[in-house]
Amino acid sequence: MLSPDVRFEGFTATDWVRVLSLFRPRRAGGDERDTDRPRGGVVAVHAGGKLKKLVHTDAGRLRIDDAQRASPLSAEELAARHHASWAAVIEAGTLEAIMERFGARVRRGDDLIAQSLLLLQLAREEHLAGKIELWPARLRGVPMPSQGVVRGTLDSLAGVGKTMVIGLFEGGELWTSVALRRDARGINLILGPDEVRKDMGLLAGDWRRDYRHLSRAIEERAGELSLGCFAEAETIRQLEVDPRPGAWARAVAVRDVILAPVPAALAIPLGIDAGRAALSALRAIAERIDPMGIVAPAVRAVLERAGTDSEMAAMLPFHPLELLRKLISRDR
């Protein structure tokens, strides 16, 4: 959670735009320069079986024709009709109902984690009741985390007084970075690159060496690191949407991504990712050495069971790296 005395320092407008650009949906291996790809989102509000309001995030309020008004389209059809990358269809009064229920159930002393999870739970209940329809449904099947899971994850990544940092480089220079420092109440410092660039000293132009200067500069300003993730910006963009098993583990192994230090909580999903890569390779080998298809089905069944029921996979309710891919990938 963000504590009352949180400080937000060291971001220029360019630095912050670069951070946000990392979470822009994109296709794996696709050409993002394509000017004809769907852009923006459409939000439709309906009541009594009739469409009442239609808004596009880029174009503003849209005209509602007679066909749409009499028979509101699904979220997927709405996105296709208006060439949008996402769409939401909401029954009138739903958002007001969510906020009323939120006000009735929230309690004095609830921190940001508790309030955020409650709000998400209420929105999910309306979605399951059919009052909110979203497309694409990237998070279908992903369970709602409990407060214990969220707090435990935060504790395992950064203990009290520790700092997490991600630093991205481009063209031999620091492209952007974000450092988060924890205290007993939550995150009390969000530090950007503008504050540390001048402290990094003379750079070699090789990010695999220069990341150490960034780590040192962050520790001098924010305290001991518990997690550091360093890479070139384009590498992270590709990994975020790469569907191949073991992509993250492979990048760490060949030092396209450097984790220093790396807590056990992050080592576990990387281990699962490496396991997925090994299972994928074994399936391919089994199919090549068994062209008649006699042994391969049994081998695949054993490998699939090992990949889903392993002790390591059972430690997490979902694969965090796969969750990141679902959130950002444009794949349908």
Side-chain angles (χ1 to χ4, degrees):
M1 66 174 180
L2 298 176
S3 62
D5 59 344
V6 63
R7 303 202 318 271
F8 191 89
E9 303 175 352
F11 287 96
T12 64
T14 299
D15 293 327
W16 188 242
V17 168
R18 287 174 174 177
V19 171
L20 296 180
S21 72
L22 295 173
F23 304 98
R24 184 180 67 245
R26 62 184 68 90
R27 288 189 176 93
D31 186 356
E32 294 301 318
R33 295 172 296 180
D34 181 9
T35 57
D36 193 45
R37 65 177 175 83
R39 295 178 182 274
V42 179
V43 179
V45 179
H46 66 92
K50 293 184 178 181
L51 189 60
K52 297 296 185 182
K53 185 176 292 186
L54 191 61
V55 178
H56 195 289
T57 58
D58 289 350
R61 190 161 182 168
L62 300 175
R63 179 178 176 274
I64 303 174
D65 58 36
D66 292 338
Q68 285 180 296
R69 188 184 302 278
S71 179
L73 301 175
S74 69
E76 183 174 1
E77 292 169 333
L78 198 63
R81 185 185 184 101
H82 296 283
H83 202 56
S85 61
W86 62 271
V89 178
I90 306 172
E91 185 176 314
T94 298
L95 299 182
E96 291 84 348
I98 290 175
M99 296 313 300
E100 288 179 3
R101 293 170 61 196
F102 177 77
R105 292 174 57 177
V106 72
R107 295 291 179 264
R108 185 184 298 276
D110 283 353
D111 57 32
L112 185 63
I113 292 176
Q115 293 183 32
S116 299
L117 290 177
L118 174 58
L119 194 59
L120 288 173
Q121 181 61 40
L122 294 174
R124 186 180 187 184
E125 290 173 2
E126 296 297 325
H127 172 66
L128 294 175
K131 296 183 178 181
I132 300 176
E133 182 190 358
L134 301 174
W135 185 88
R138 292 191 177 99
L139 297 183
R140 180 180 295 149
V142 177
M144 275 282 294
S146 66
Q147 288 191 43
V149 168
V150 174
R151 296 183 192 281
T153 300
L154 185 59
D155 288 339
S156 61
L157 291 176
V160 174
K162 299 294 184 64
T163 301
M164 300 176 286
V165 61
I166 176 170
L168 302 181
F169 295 80
E170 189 174 85
E173 301 289 339
L174 178 62
W175 188 69
T176 195
S177 68
V178 181
L180 307 175
R181 185 181 66 195
R182 279 198 66 194
D183 65 4
R185 293 175 293 180
I187 294 171
N188 70 344
L189 175 63
I190 303 175
L191 182 65
D194 197 50
E195 291 288 323
V196 298
R197 281 192 177 100
K198 58 181 176 291
D199 298 333
M200 292 175 62
L202 184 63
L203 301 183
D206 180 357
W207 74 268
R208 290 182 176 85
R209 288 187 287 174
D210 292 337
Y211 85 88
R212 296 187 179 91
H213 300 297
L214 175 59
S215 294
R216 174 184 49 77
I218 293 290
E219 288 192 322
E220 288 176 353
R221 284 183 172 267
E224 181 183 356
L225 294 184
S226 64
L227 166 64
C229 178
F230 310 94
E232 290 187 316
E234 185 58 31
T235 299
I236 294 298
R237 291 193 190 99
Q238 293 174 5
L239 287 173
E240 285 176 330
V241 295
D242 194 333
R244 295 175 300 172
W248 281 90
R250 188 181 304 110
V252 172
V254 300
R255 288 174 63 81
D256 283 343
V257 174
I258 293 177
L259 300 177
V262 54
L266 191 56
I268 290 173
L270 283 172
I272 296 175
D273 202 39
R276 291 171 61 228
L279 293 175
S280 179
L282 286 173
R283 290 190 189 100
I285 292 172
E287 290 169 356
R288 284 200 296 268
I289 65 175
D290 183 30
M292 300 298 293
I294 299 173
V295 180
V299 173
R300 283 197 297 270
V302 172
L303 295 176
E304 286 168 3
R305 179 173 179 80
T308 56
D309 294 338
S310 68
E311 293 183 4
M312 186 177 296
M315 296 176 67
L316 298 172
F318 52 83
H319 193 297
L321 300 178
E322 181 64 16
L323 175 61
L324 177 65
R325 191 185 74 81
K326 286 184 176 182
L327 282 169
I328 296 177
S329 175
R330 290 187 182 276
D331 296 340
R332 302 310 186 196

